[in-house]
Amino acid sequence: MHELAITQNVVEAVTSRTGSAPVAEVRVRVGRLSGVVPDAMRFCFDLVTAGTPLEGADLEIEQPAGRGRCRRCGVELELLDLVLLCGCGSADVEVLTGRELAVASVQMVVPVQEPAQEPVQPAEGR
Ligand SMILES: [Zn+2]
């Protein structure tokens, strides 16, 4: 289940920016051709965020359709899944977009004011 590693990366990417401030919502953009299964990602998110500032945060998953171009007839088509098949019958489709995987936005529980001010704390305790 590669969603676990991917979700872990997402969570680490977020906490590297937000530190220990509690997060209310994380929105990710997962292209339809990325091979990531949203339900699996949600499941992993709950596991991975336990005990972190992201615990209990909502995970919103946007799934933009991909776009491809048929190498045989040149037509551009919308790609909703990994079946790359043009109307002309050719499966020789060049993928233009749809494999993206990115954090689209993060919503904090307490809105972030000015940047800086508080120095980054290495971790609580000694
Ligand atoms: Zn075609």
Side-chain angles (χ1 to χ4, degrees):
M1 189 153 70
H2 66 162
E3 278 82 2
L4 186 57
I6 292 168
T7 308
Q8 206 137 27
N9 285 344
V10 167
V11 170
E12 278 167 16
V14 170
T15 51
S16 74
R17 308 284 171 85
T18 60
S20 57
V23 170
E25 182 195 278
V26 177
R27 183 176 289 268
V28 292
R29 194 173 298 127
V30 175
R32 303 236 183 176
L33 309 182
S34 65
V36 172
V37 180
D39 279 348
M41 196 175 192
R42 280 194 192 90
F43 177 77
C44 294
F45 188 79
D46 287 344
L47 290 182
V48 169
T49 56
T52 76
L54 276 69
E55 185 169 1
D58 289 329
L59 179 67
E60 295 289 331
I61 302 178
E62 294 174 13
Q63 283 205 284
R67 292 204 68 79
R69 186 187 294 119
C70 177
R71 287 198 178 94
R72 190 204 277 175
C73 70
V75 85
E76 268 201 28
L77 48 145
E78 189 171 65
L79 302 172
L80 296 176
D81 53 36
L82 285 165
V83 179
L84 306 180
L85 193 62
C86 177
C88 75
S90 170
D92 189 8
V93 172
E94 178 191 3
V95 174
L96 303 173
T97 64
R99 293 193 168 125
E100 64 270 39
L101 186 68
V103 177
S105 70
V106 174
Q107 224 173 77
M108 312 303 295
V109 171
V110 180
V112 181
Q113 306 288 341
E114 295 300 293
Q117 233 24 316
E118 61 173 321
V120 179
Q121 288 165 357
E124 51 249 60
R126 296 148 297 157

